[in-house]
Amino acid sequence: MPSSAPVAAYPTSTRPVSIPGRKPRTQGLRNMELAFLVFAYVIVLAALLQVQLGVMGEFDFQLITVFGFLVALTVAMHLVLRFRAPQADPFLLPIATAINGLGISMIYRLDLVNPDITDGSVPNATAQMVFTGLGIGVGIAVLIALRNHRILQRYTYIFGAVSLVLLVLPLVPGLGVSEANARVWISVGPFNFQPGEIAKITLAIFFAGYLVTARESLSVVSRKFLGLRLPRMRDLGPILIVWAFCMGVLVFQRDLGTSLLYFGLFLVMIFVATGRLSWVLIGLALFVAGGTVAALNMEYVRKRIEGWINPFDPDFYEASGGSYQLVQGLFGMSNGGLVGTGLGQGRPDITPLAESDFIISALGEELGLAGLFAILAMYFILVSRALRIGHLGGDDFGRLLATGLGFVIGLQVFIVVGGVTRVIPLTGLTTPFLAAGGSSLVANWIIIALLLRLSDTIPNQATTRLEVTT
């Protein structure tokens, strides 16, 4: 018989009930990450062993110690994520590990045929492993110490001041490395460091915090011109200040790539914050104008552009600091063809700075166009995951910060690959995770840690469970 008890129109209580046999989503994310990490380890180990076989004709299994060091570091970060950020994106750590490991493999390959490493100096591959350990260690510290990314917003202007100090440091007499082509390095004892690499992170935090508070005023439209909604004249101050700041980097530090990177970062973040295309067009016009003036009046910029336009001209090819490096890199990549010569079988060592500025051309020669596309695909996935984090973020500051950090990696890859392939003039930036450079490695692993922390706070990404009413 039907019950005479009244039936509630709406459920009076709910409780989560786990589906039998189904693992929680957080555990599934970390298991997925571990599976991808194992796949990354296979790629890196195969590359290291193939380098030895190609160069020496035999295997030296002492290299397993170096490989084990990379495995231990990344597994440590994976375990920290399990307990400190269980909902973090599962793709970021494996992709960064694979790219970093491939970079170490190519640097090790170049060390094996480098006659300069005979005087007891530290091989580049060893230094790269040390800085990889330092970078991952700092990344783990960021994940443990930073439980809530919103704390960073409290110190917006402090990060802005820190950015300014970091960029001024190379100009300090006795601290900056004056013999370098670009004044972007500082020397502290036996160590050289590039503070601009850390500055790109602090600037992203500063821009995100500032644009969250100033977004409404920057979005105000004063008039329409040719279909564009132009901002008010009094609101042009921020972009003019950043433009002047980047031009100062170009003039005083002779660093075209860093100047372009910083200004591009600000343009993208102000566009995301306001949705106004007019800001981007104004910024591009300012940068083109500044770059034109620099090309006409600065020999450093003029040589870069002339060598880009006429790389095979003997006047530029044979000149000191001319296009010799670019041409050698182009010949190397053409020698690789579609599938490459094989790791250890090419001659990337005859390209100057193949372990740093031109590591893309070295990999293109020995892995071919197919291998280069695979590396670029990993970068594409890395950047797309960062932009996804920015799109799904739960707060404005986090969305802007994730977008800025992802764009920094994407723009830097474009600038480097575009310069090596002669799409744009060479700028001297390092390829993230791939090229030799301790400052860059540490900074990029900090970016990965921040993106992992930001992804852990995305709403509705908690444990998968069934809500039933009673």
Side-chain angles (χ1 to χ4, degrees), residues 220-387:
V220 174
V221 178
S222 63
R223 63 179 63 88
K224 288 185 178 181
F225 179 72
L226 297 178
L228 291 176
R229 298 176 178 269
L230 298 177
R232 298 177 299 184
M233 290 299 297
R234 64 185 180 185
D235 295 325
L236 291 176
I239 198 169
L240 292 175
I241 292 173
V242 175
W243 174 77
F245 173 78
C246 293
M247 289 302 104
V249 171
L250 176 61
V251 172
F252 295 106
Q253 295 189 354
R254 296 164 52 86
D255 193 352
L256 177 62
T258 300
S259 176
L260 176 60
L261 182 66
Y262 293 162
F263 197 67
L265 170 64
F266 182 70
L267 285 186
V268 166
M269 294 184 73
I270 196 173
F271 172 70
V272 172
T274 64
R276 300 294 185 195
L277 182 62
S278 56
W279 282 113
V280 178
L281 297 179
I282 291 171
L284 291 176
L286 286 171
F287 195 85
V288 169
T292 302
V293 173
L296 294 175
N297 296 277
M298 297 179 61
E299 185 180 3
Y300 158 73
V301 179
R302 186 170 62 252
K303 281 186 175 180
R304 288 293 180 98
I305 295 176
E306 290 174 346
W308 167 58
I309 297 174
N310 304 298
F312 301 99
D313 190 315
D315 293 337
F316 301 110
Y317 180 75
E318 298 175 358
S320 176
S323 59
Y324 174 80
Q325 183 186 31
L326 173 61
V327 171
Q328 290 297 101
L330 292 173
F331 284 155
M333 286 188 289
S334 67
N335 184 48
L338 180 62
V339 295
T341 61
L343 285 172
Q345 299 296 315
R347 289 300 310 274
D349 51 292
I350 63 177
T351 301
L353 299 177
E355 74 282 355
S356 54
D357 292 2
F358 272 70
I359 196 168
I360 285 291
S361 71
L363 287 165
E365 179 177 353
E366 299 204 330
L367 296 181
L369 186 63
L372 206 54
F373 274 2
I375 294 173
L376 293 177
M378 286 192 285
Y379 278 120
F380 179 81
I381 296 172
L382 187 66
V383 174
S384 67
R385 300 302 293 185
L387 296 180

Side-chain angles (χ1 to χ4, degrees), residues 268-269 272 386-387 390-391 398-408 451:
V268 166
M269 294 184 73
V272 172
L387 296 180
H391 177 68
R399 285 195 290 267
L400 279 175
L401 181 57
T403 302
L405 294 175
F407 181 77
V408 160
L451 289 173

Side-chain angles (χ1 to χ4, degrees), residues 128 164 167 194:
Q128 190 78 345
L164 183 61
L167 291 173
Q194 190 174 350

Side-chain angles (χ1 to χ4, degrees), residues 30 94 119 136 184 203 300-301 308 327 353 367 399 407 414 430 434 455:
R30 301 279 64 83
D119 56 356
I136 296 177
V184 296
L203 278 174
Y300 158 73
V301 179
W308 167 58
V327 171
L353 299 177
L367 296 181
R399 285 195 290 267
F407 181 77
F414 169 76
T430 57
L434 206 59
S455 67

Side-chain angles (χ1 to χ4, degrees), residues 56-226:
M56 301 186 301
E58 59 182 3
F59 294 130
D60 181 3
F61 289 99
Q62 290 182 350
L63 189 66
I64 299 298
T65 304
V66 177
F67 174 72
F69 181 59
L70 178 64
V71 171
L73 289 169
T74 50
V75 167
M77 179 173 275
H78 168 74
L79 293 176
V80 169
L81 288 172
R82 279 189 177 270
F83 294 99
R84 292 285 186 170
Q87 300 177 54
D89 190 282
F91 296 96
L92 296 176
L93 178 58
I95 292 175
T97 301
I99 299 175
N100 198 164
L102 286 174
I104 293 172
S105 302
M106 177 50 67
I107 296 169
Y108 173 63
R109 180 257 181 276
L110 293 168
D111 282 348
L112 291 177
V113 295
N114 189 352
D116 296 332
I117 306 179
T118 57
D119 56 356
S121 59
V122 177
N124 290 321
T126 302
Q128 190 78 345
M129 275 303 308
V130 171
F131 282 113
T132 296
L134 179 61
I136 296 177
V138 174
I140 290 174
V142 169
L143 286 170
I144 294 175
L146 185 65
R147 300 302 301 271
N148 190 338
H149 67 274
R150 296 178 183 88
I151 295 175
L152 300 175
Q153 190 177 1
R154 301 178 187 174
Y155 307 101
T156 294
Y157 291 97
I158 293 179
F159 279 109
V162 169
S163 304
L164 183 61
V165 171
L166 289 171
L167 291 173
V168 170
L169 283 178
L171 303 177
V172 176
L175 188 62
V177 181
S178 58
E179 64 268 20
N181 183 42
R183 295 183 60 89
V184 296
W185 294 89
I186 62 174
S187 178
V188 181
F191 301 101
N192 288 341
F193 189 76
Q194 190 174 350
E197 288 288 339
I198 303 299
K200 67 186 181 184
I201 302 174
T202 56
L203 278 174
I205 298 172
F206 167 69
F207 289 155
Y210 168 76
L211 291 172
V212 165
T213 58
R215 176 175 53 187
E216 292 185 3
S217 62
L218 293 173
S219 300
V220 174
V221 178
S222 63
R223 63 179 63 88
K224 288 185 178 181
F225 179 72
L226 297 178

